[in-house]
Amino acid sequence: MTDVLIDPAPTEKRATGRSGWFRAVWRWHFFASFLVAPVLILLAVTGLIYLFRFQLEPLMHGDLMRTDPPSQGALTQPYEVQYAAVQEAYPDASVLSMTEPKNAEETTRFSLVTADGASRDAYVDPYTGEVLGDLNPDTTLSGYAVRLHGDLMAGPWGDHVLELGACWAVVMALTGYYLFVRGWTARRRARRSGRGPAKLRSRHALVGAVSGVGLLTLLVTGLPWTGFWGEKVQSYATEHGSSLWSLDPGAVSDPTSKLDESLPHSHAVDIPWALQESDVPSSDTTQAGRSGSVANVDTAVEVADGEGLRHPFTIALPSTDDAGGVFSVIGYAFDAPSDEKTVHIDRYGGQVVATYGFDDYPTLAKVVSQGIGLHEGRSFGLWSFWGAALMCLAILFASVTGPLMWWKRRPKGAARLGAPRGRMPLKATPLLVVALVALGLFLPLFGLSLLVVLALDQLVLRRIPALAGWFDAA
């Protein structure tokens, strides 16, 4: 399978020529695509579901997420009244956050954790204050899509499988561009000849050339989330006074709902090195119990509105067990990561305790934040949204037409796979060796998997004639 990496014998002149190079790169592309196509199909489908979650979920859960205003300009119940209704309906649960409706037809969402640790989203009619019901955000269509997209719902091992697939997808995209450029003339001749598979190959190449840019962008912007590469880079960044993430010191501003992940990535227990000396936002407990000194959700909304945050807000609510907890109001920054900002408000006096926004992020976190917005199709409004959707569709097309082309040209009845034959002369091209080593160091899982594949090739495939024939070893 991998003898493309082994130098040919001196008599095999084809491998050093144009045809040999083309077939060797084609072989890389072939096997990388076979390994990567299932991963890309899964990521593209779940990515599309995630992109359209705000359209799909209200259709599927309209009884909870939608409401009919009683009249034009009808007044809504105070948020504190809605909050009290949720507390009454779920007396044993801890209410973590509240998200405002985006428009007059949407309900108010409260994220909570039940006594047994389960996550639930409760929905309240903002006009009547009635609790309409709840659902588990992890078991909605969007919830399943997010979990499959993140780690195949298999924990760290699933995360590693996706990261490995992403690494080899980089190889697939780069080799695809080589084939696109070097095979341009051959494809045009084949189209003119009217051969059946020529049109499919030409369309695959054209769509692949367009989607390759988006694919590489999505892969690079998705790497910070990975459990191996992302964790190692975050550890390195933290040790050197930076961070991949916009961590807000001490603020519990990480709502559990999976329906809207456009919020700043903030965690109460994970403070970046650069902010370890920052004071944790807390309320002035000396004001507790004083007459007229207790703020509420509506106070927090009013204060955050005065601070210039964009609606709709998400408000992380102070725990009833933490007297020093604050209201953490997170401004809407779905279409503009640079607008990300959180205001922490004293739960007693209602004054601003601290603010933390995009301007306070480490430089690396600013880059990652913009990359996340691009990855999720929300950085540039509808242009970004539809661009991401089209890229997902293009990746699906390329991932399906690639195996289909192989199926059409496979040797029927033969005891071999029908893979392109070719071996790259690495001894004659040291720059290629340097590039592979650099890519292996930058993407450690790719480097490790490449070593494993090379070992299998040398110790197994090349020593067993049946396997060598099946994998079309040159």
Side-chain angles (χ1 to χ4, degrees):
M1 175 175 129
T2 58
D3 57 334
V4 295
L5 296 175
I6 309 302
D7 285 306
T11 57
E12 294 178 348
K13 296 182 179 180
R14 272 185 63 192
T16 59
R18 178 176 177 179
S19 176
W21 264 99
F22 186 86
R23 286 185 172 274
V25 174
W26 186 8
R27 186 173 173 86
W28 274 46
H29 187 76
F30 177 86
F31 281 111
S33 300
F34 250 86
L35 295 171
V36 167
V39 172
L40 291 184
I41 290 173
L42 173 72
L43 293 179
V45 171
T46 54
L48 280 171
I49 293 173
Y50 182 76
L51 278 172
F52 287 93
R53 65 197 181 281
F54 296 126
Q55 290 76 32
L56 293 172
E57 295 298 347
L59 289 175
M60 302 176 69
H61 306 286
D63 57 326
L64 298 178
M65 300 181 180
R66 308 292 294 178
T67 186
D68 294 321
S71 63
Q72 187 173 3
L75 296 177
T76 59
Q77 295 293 321
Y79 288 126
E80 188 65 21
V81 172
Q82 300 180 48
Y83 178 28
V86 172
Q87 290 178 307
E88 182 179 355
Y90 304 92
D92 297 327
S94 299
V95 184
L96 301 182
S97 69
M98 184 204 82
T99 299
E100 292 183 304
K102 291 185 177 68
N103 54 56
E105 287 77 35
E106 285 195 5
T107 55
T108 308
R109 185 178 79 238
F110 288 83
S111 295
L112 47 90
V113 174
T114 62
D116 58 359
S119 298
R120 308 294 294 181
D121 279 351
Y123 295 86
V124 179
D125 188 318
Y127 302 101
T128 65
E130 176 189 0
V131 178
L132 302 176
D134 63 82
L135 54 79
N136 184 342
D138 285 338
T139 59
T140 61
L141 179 63
S142 298
Y144 280 120
V146 168
R147 292 193 290 155
L148 285 170
H149 198 89
D151 60 9
L152 301 178
M153 296 172 58
W157 284 107
D159 178 87
H160 294 336
V161 168
L162 291 180
E163 184 176 348
L164 186 60
C167 293
W168 279 95
V170 173
V171 176
M172 184 193 69
L174 295 178
T175 54
Y177 277 115
Y178 178 90
L179 297 176
F180 177 78
V181 174
R182 296 301 296 270
W184 180 270
T185 303
R187 287 195 306 274
R188 192 163 64 175
R189 275 200 307 265
R191 285 200 309 270
R192 288 175 179 173
S193 70
R195 284 182 290 176
K199 288 185 178 180
L200 183 61
R201 185 172 64 173
S202 180
R203 289 169 183 166
H204 174 84
L206 185 60
V207 173
V210 174
S211 64
V213 176
L215 176 61
L216 289 172
T217 301
L218 291 173
L219 293 173
V220 171
T221 54
L223 280 175
W225 276 309
T226 57
F228 187 84
W229 190 93
E231 182 179 345
K232 298 301 181 184
V233 174
Q234 170 64 2
S235 298
Y236 179 83
T238 302
E239 292 171 359
H240 290 78
S242 187
S243 172
L244 290 176
W245 305 109
S246 51
L247 304 178
D248 192 348
V252 185
S253 50
D254 183 25
T256 59
S257 174
K258 301 298 183 184
L259 297 181
D260 185 358
E261 295 193 344
S262 61
L263 303 171
H265 294 258
S266 307
H267 304 274
V269 296
D270 190 3
I271 303 175
W273 183 90
L275 296 172
Q276 283 180 354
E277 301 302 321
S278 301
D279 293 330
V280 174
S282 61
S283 296
D284 183 2
T285 56
T286 62
Q287 298 188 55
R290 293 184 182 179
S291 177
S293 66
V294 178
N296 58 29
V297 184
D298 296 286
T299 307
V301 170
E302 183 178 353
V303 172
D305 193 53
E307 291 292 315
L309 270 66
R310 293 173 58 193
H311 290 274
F313 299 154
T314 290
I315 305 167
L317 305 169
S319 170
T320 55
D321 299 327
D322 180 12
V326 296
F327 291 100
S328 297
V329 184
I330 307 164
Y332 183 78
F334 185 81
D335 56 349
S338 58
D339 287 346
E340 291 177 2
K341 186 177 181 180
T342 302
V343 174
H344 307 293
I345 299 165
D346 191 289
R347 67 186 299 181
Y348 304 110
Q351 70 272 19
V352 175
V353 176
T355 61
Y356 187 82
F358 186 84
D359 292 339
D360 302 306
Y361 297 175
T363 300
L364 188 58
K366 291 180 179 180
V367 174
V368 171
S369 181
Q370 294 288 0
I372 290 172
L374 190 63
H375 187 96
E376 295 182 343
R378 57 184 177 84
S379 288
F380 306 106
L382 289 177
W383 286 101
S384 182
F385 176 86
W386 287 112
L390 288 174
M391 282 301 162
C392 287
L393 292 174
I395 290 169
L396 278 173
F397 179 85
S399 299
V400 171
T401 55
L404 184 59
M405 286 189 299
W406 163 77
W407 185 258
K408 287 178 175 293
R409 65 177 288 276
R410 77 193 191 286
K412 298 179 180 62
R416 60 191 186 88
L417 192 59
R421 295 173 180 265
R423 293 186 293 182
M424 284 190 176
L426 295 184
K427 290 182 180 179
T429 53
L431 286 179
L432 181 59
V433 178
V434 173
L436 285 173
V437 172
L439 188 61
L441 292 175
F442 180 70
L443 301 173
L445 282 186
F446 165 74
L448 291 172
S449 64
L450 186 60
L451 292 176
V452 171
V453 170
L454 283 173
L456 287 174
D457 177 61
Q458 293 295 306
L459 301 177
V460 180
L461 297 185
R462 295 175 65 83
R463 295 173 182 267
I464 303 176
L467 290 177
W470 170 254
F471 286 103
D472 293 289

